C-alpha cells in the first residue's frame, strides 16, 4: 500500500469531501462564489427552497452572495423520482475596507434633480439582467476582459469621501483610457448605455442561465443592444466616466439579481505563462495531473530549436476541477493572441489533453493551429475506476480525477468531438507496473492504448515509452515537431 500511495502522488494531491455531503459539480462554496452543478437531465433542483433552472445537459448554477454563509439545503429530484439531499456549507470571507476620497460630491450624495435619472438607470439595468438568453456560454472558460493592476476588489466596504456606502461589487482593473475591453465569454449585449449617472459608459453582456457580465466607466462603446459577441471580441474601451477617480474597468458578474465575484471566474493574472523564443508560430504546452510545467521543459526546448516560440503553462492540477483548470489554458491562449501570434498550437500531456478538449468545445485555435496529445486519457483511466470512490484516493488525487473515469457519465466521456487537426502519441510500456493488473490490453501504466484513441484524430502513434516520462522521450519529441510542421506523422 505504501508503494501504491507513493506512485499515486505523481498524479496529484488535493482534499475533497465525501459525495454524500457535496453534489457533483465545481465552483467555490464561499461568500461571493458560485457552484456549477451537474445532474441527470430533466431533474428538479431546489436550493434553499427556491427552484433552480436545469439546462438540457443537466447543468445548473448556484450563486452565493456576499453575505451568504453557513449550511445550505439542496435537493435534487431525478427523473426516476429518487431524491438526493445535500447540506453543503458556504465559508464566510473577510472583506476589505476601501477608502476613496476626492470624488465629485454630487456623485456621492446626488442632488434631488438627478434622482429620477438614477432610478431610470437602475430600472434599465434590472430589465437587462432579466432577459433570457438561450446559450451555454456561461459554462465556457472565461478570460480577463482586460489585464492590468487590480485596484479594487469585490465585497470591499466603501468609504466614499468619508461616508460609508454600499460594498464594491466588481473587480477594478487600472488601465489607460482607450484600452480595449474584450468579451470574457460568448453572449448577447442586453445593455449599452454611454452615460449612466454612477457607472458612466456601461455595457451588459448576457452569457445565458441568467449570468451576465457588466462593464462600467467605459470611454467608448463598440456594440449595441442585441449584438452577439464571441469571446475576445472588442466591445468597448476603458475610461473614467461616471463616479470614478481615474481610468479603469470595473467588471462585475451577476447571476440574476445575485452579485458574485468576477475574480472567481478567471485564474490569477500572475500565474499565466509568457512566451519564450523567436518563432512566428507559438506552442502552448499543458502538463499532466500532478505534474508541473518543468516536466515539459525538454520538449519546449526542442520546439524552440525547431523555430517555434513556446508558452509553458502551469496550473494547480491538484486543487481544482477540470473545467476550472481549463481557464488557465483559455487565458494563456488569449494572451498569446493579444501578443500578436497569428497561429497557436497546443501540445499536452495526460490530463492536459482533456483540458485542451474542454477548451476546444467552445473555441478554435488561432490560425488553424494543431494539437498533439501525449498519453491522453480520452476515455478515462481504469485506475480511477478502481480507486475513485475511495476517500484516500480522492484526498490524494484531487477534484479533477473524478472527470477521468471510463464510465460514460464521466465528463471526459461527455465531451463533443473536436475539429482541430490532432495527433496522438501514447506508450506501450508501463511506467507503473503495480497498476498492470487493472488493464486488459496494451497500456502505458496509467492509460490504455484504447482510451488514448479519438475517432476524429488525424494521426495516432504508439511508442515504447511509459506514461510518466513520455514527454521526455527523444522519439516522442521528434514526432511532436513533425506533426506540428506537417500535420501528419510522416515517419
Amino acid at each position: 500500500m505504501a508503494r501504491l500511495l507513493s506512485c499515486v502522488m505523481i498524479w496529484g494531491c488535493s482534499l475533497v469531501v465525501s459525495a454524500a455531503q457535496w453534489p457533483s459539480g465545481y465552483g467555490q462554496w464561499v461568500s461571493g462564489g458560485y457552484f456549477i452543478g451537474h445532474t441527470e437531465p430533466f431533474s428538479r433542483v431546489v436550493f434553499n427552497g427556491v427552484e433552480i433552472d436545469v439546462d438540457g445537459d443537466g447543468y445548473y448554477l448556484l450563486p452565493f452572495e456576499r453575505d451568504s454563509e453557513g449550511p445550505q439545503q439542496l435537493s435534487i429530484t431525478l427523473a426516476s423520482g429518487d431524491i438526493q439531499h445535500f447540506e453543503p456549507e458556504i465559508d464566510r470571507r473577510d472583506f476589505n475596507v476601501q477608502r476613496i476620497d476626492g470624488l465629485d460630491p454630487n456623485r456621492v450624495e446626488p442632488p434631488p434633480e438627478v434622482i429620477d435619472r438614477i432610478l431610470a438607470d437602475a430600472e434599465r439595468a434590472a430589465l437587462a439582467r432579466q432577459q433570457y438568453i438561450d446559450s451555454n456560454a456561461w459554462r465556457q472558460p472565461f478570460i480577463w476582459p482586460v489585464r492590468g493592476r487590480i485596484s479594487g476588489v469585490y465585497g470591499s466596504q466603501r468609504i466614499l469621501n468619508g461616508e460609508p456606502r454600499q460594498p464594491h461589487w466588481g473587480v477594478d482593473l487600472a488601465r489607460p483610457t482607450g484600452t480595449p475591453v474584450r468579451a470574457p465569454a460568448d453572449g448577447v449585449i442586453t445593455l449599452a448605455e454611454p452615460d449612466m449617472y454612477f457607472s458612466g459608459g456601461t455595457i451588459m453582456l448576457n452569457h445565458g442561465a441568467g449570468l451576465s457580465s457588466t462593464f462600467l466607466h467605459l470611454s467608448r462603446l463598440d456594440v449595441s443592444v442585441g449584438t452577439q459577441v464571441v469571446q475576445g471580441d472588442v466591445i468597448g474601451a476603458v475610461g473614467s466616466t461616471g463616479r470614478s477617480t481615474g481610468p479603469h474597468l470595473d467588471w462585475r458578474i451577476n447571476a440574476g439579481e445575485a452579485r458574485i465575484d468576477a475574480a472567481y471566474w478567471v485564474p490569477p493574472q500572475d500565474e499565466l505563462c509568457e512566451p519564450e523564443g523567436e518563432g512566428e508560430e507559438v506552442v502552448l504546452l499543458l502538463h499532466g495531473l500532478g505534474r508541473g510545467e518543468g516536466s515539459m521543459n525538454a520538449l519546449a526546448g526542442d520546439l524552440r530549436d525547431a523555430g517555434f516560440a513556446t508558452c509553458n503553462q502551469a496550473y494547480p492540477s491538484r486543487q481544482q476541477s477540470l473545467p476550472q483548470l481549463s481557464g488557465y489554458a483559455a487565458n494563456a491562449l488569449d494572451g498569446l493572441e493579444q501578443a500578436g501570434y497569428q497561429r497557436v498550437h497546443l501540445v499536452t500531456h495526460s490530463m492536459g489533453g482533456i483540458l485542451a478538449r474542454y477548451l476546444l468545445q467552445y473555441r478554435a485555435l488561432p490560425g488553424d493551429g494543431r494539437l498533439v496529445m501525449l498519453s491522453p486519457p480520452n476515455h478515462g483511466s481504469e485506475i480511477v475506476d478502481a480507486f475513485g470512490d475511495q476517500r484516500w484516493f480522492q484526498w490524494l488525487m484531487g477534484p479533477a480525477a473524478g472527470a477521468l473515469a471510463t464510465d460514460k457519465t464521466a465528463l471526459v466521456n461527455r465531451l463533443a468531438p473536436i475539429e482541430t487537426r490532432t495527433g496522438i502519441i501514447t506508450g506501450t510500456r508501463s511506467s507503473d507496473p503495480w497498476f498492470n493488473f487493472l488493464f486488459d490490453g496494451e497500456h502505458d501504466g496509467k492509460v490504455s492504448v484504447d482510451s488514448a484513441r479519438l475517432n476524429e484524430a488525424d494521426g495516432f502513434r504508439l511508442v515504447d515509452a511509459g506514461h510518466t516520462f513520455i514527454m521526455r522521450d527523444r522519439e516522442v519529441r521528434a514526432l511532436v515537431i513533425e506533426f506540428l510542421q506537417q500535420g501528419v506523422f510522416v515517419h
Side-chain angles (χ1 to χ4, degrees):
M1 177 62 106
R3 191 177 186 186
L4 177 61
L5 294 178
S6 175
C7 75
V8 169
M9 285 295 291
I10 206 166
W11 282 56
C13 175
S14 180
L15 177 64
V16 296
V17 293
S18 70
Q21 185 179 356
W22 298 95
S24 175
Y26 60 94
Q28 298 86 4
W29 289 85
V30 296
S31 307
Y34 71 94
F35 179 74
I36 294 178
H38 183 256
T39 184
E40 296 177 5
F42 311 110
S43 296
R44 180 172 181 262
V45 175
V46 177
F47 183 60
N48 293 334
V50 177
E51 187 161 353
I52 305 297
D53 289 338
V54 180
D55 73 12
D57 296 322
Y59 287 95
Y60 59 94
L61 173 63
L62 305 179
F64 313 133
E65 296 194 82
R66 181 182 185 272
D67 295 328
S68 298
E69 63 176 309
Q72 312 293 306
Q73 298 295 322
L74 174 66
S75 67
I76 301 175
T77 304
L78 306 178
S80 64
D82 293 340
I83 302 177
Q84 301 171 337
H85 291 288
F86 304 92
E87 294 187 0
E89 187 162 337
I90 296 175
D91 293 331
R92 177 156 184 80
R93 291 164 61 190
D94 293 325
F95 295 102
N96 299 334
V97 174
Q98 186 179 23
R99 299 179 182 275
I100 303 176
D101 297 315
L103 290 167
D104 179 349
N106 286 337
R107 300 287 179 173
V108 177
E109 199 67 56
E113 60 267 23
V114 300
I115 297 300
D116 287 346
R117 177 185 171 188
I118 292 171
L119 293 174
D121 287 348
E123 183 177 359
R124 280 196 295 271
L127 289 173
R129 280 193 291 270
Q130 293 169 11
Q131 292 189 35
Y132 173 79
I133 301 296
D134 184 14
S135 172
N136 67 354
W138 62 282
R139 289 158 33 198
Q140 179 178 13
F142 277 43
I143 62 171
W144 287 94
V146 164
R147 293 195 193 181
R149 179 178 62 86
I150 294 177
S151 56
V153 296
Y154 169 91
S156 55
Q157 178 62 58
R158 289 220 151 157
I159 310 296
L160 306 181
N161 289 356
E163 296 291 331
R165 288 295 185 267
Q166 280 196 357
H168 186 230
W169 299 118
V171 55
D172 289 340
L173 296 149
R175 290 301 305 274
T177 295
T179 301
V181 174
R182 293 171 298 111
D186 300 353
V188 177
I189 303 298
T190 55
L191 182 75
E193 293 289 336
D195 186 26
M196 300 185 86
Y197 187 80
F198 285 123
S199 57
T202 305
I203 289 174
M204 190 176 296
L205 173 58
N206 191 310
H207 306 291
L211 190 78
S212 59
S213 288
T214 308
F215 311 92
L216 281 57
H217 310 303
L218 301 172
S219 63
R220 188 185 77 238
L221 279 60
D222 295 336
V223 292
S224 57
V225 171
T227 303
Q228 295 190 6
V229 300
V230 298
Q231 186 177 78
D233 281 354
V234 175
I235 59 175
V238 171
S240 187
T241 55
R243 186 166 70 184
S244 170
T245 57
H248 71 285
L249 174 69
D250 182 344
W251 175 33
R252 305 184 176 191
I253 286 186
N254 273 66
E257 294 300 316
R259 297 179 169 105
I260 55 180
D261 192 348
Y264 278 135
W265 291 78
V266 285
Q269 296 178 66
D270 60 4
E271 294 182 12
L272 301 175
C273 65
E274 296 289 342
E276 299 181 61
E278 303 299 326
E280 293 185 2
E281 298 182 11
V282 64
V283 180
L284 175 61
L285 297 107
L286 299 175
H287 61 80
L289 176 58
R291 306 305 300 271
E293 72 273 24
S295 66
M296 306 292 277
N297 280 346
L299 178 53
D302 282 3
L303 288 164
R304 290 193 294 273
D305 290 343
F308 295 97
T310 63
C311 204
N312 195 354
Q313 180 60 56
Y315 60 91
S317 64
R318 312 180 222 184
Q319 300 172 21
Q320 297 181 9
S321 69
L322 192 149
Q324 291 170 295
L325 295 173
S326 68
Y328 283 82
N331 279 270
L333 185 62
D334 174 67
L336 294 173
E337 284 192 280
Q338 298 311 307
Y341 291 99
Q342 299 298 308
R343 197 177 199 201
V344 183
H345 305 287
L346 263 170
V347 174
T348 67
H349 174 231
S350 192
M351 191 184 75
I354 312 307
L355 301 190
R357 286 179 58 205
Y358 189 90
L359 173 63
L360 294 171
Q361 306 291 295
Y362 297 95
R363 60 153 304 158
L365 293 177
D368 292 325
R370 294 163 181 166
L371 167 65
V372 179
M373 310 169 80
L374 308 180
S375 294
N378 279 320
H379 302 286
S381 172
E382 286 81 353
I383 295 174
V384 178
D385 292 347
F387 304 114
D389 61 350
Q390 302 295 312
R391 277 196 188 183
W392 64 265
F393 187 81
Q394 296 170 351
W395 182 83
L396 287 168
M397 297 290 284
L404 304 179
T406 65
D407 187 277
K408 291 187 181 300
T409 62
L411 177 58
V412 70
N413 290 308
R414 290 187 280 111
L415 297 175
I418 57 177
E419 298 181 2
T420 304
R421 191 161 191 84
T422 301
I424 298 172
I425 306 169
T426 197
T428 57
R429 172 163 45 88
S430 177
S431 60
D432 304 83
W434 40 87
F435 288 144
N436 288 354
F437 73 99
L438 296 174
F439 298 92
D440 292 329
E442 287 186 304
H443 62 92
D444 66 2
K446 289 196 172 79
V447 175
S448 70
V449 168
D450 286 343
S451 179
R453 296 183 188 276
L454 272 183
N455 289 337
E456 64 265 33
D458 302 282
F460 188 83
R461 277 301 182 91
L462 298 178
V463 294
D464 182 26
H467 185 94
T468 304
F469 300 111
I470 189 171
M471 77 295 283
R472 299 183 186 177
D473 184 272
R474 288 188 178 182
E475 179 188 3
V476 169
R477 284 147 53 187
L479 286 169
V480 169
I481 294 169
E482 179 178 270
F483 192 88
L484 294 181
Q485 291 176 335
Q486 306 293 330
V488 294
F489 293 122
V490 178
H491 299 94

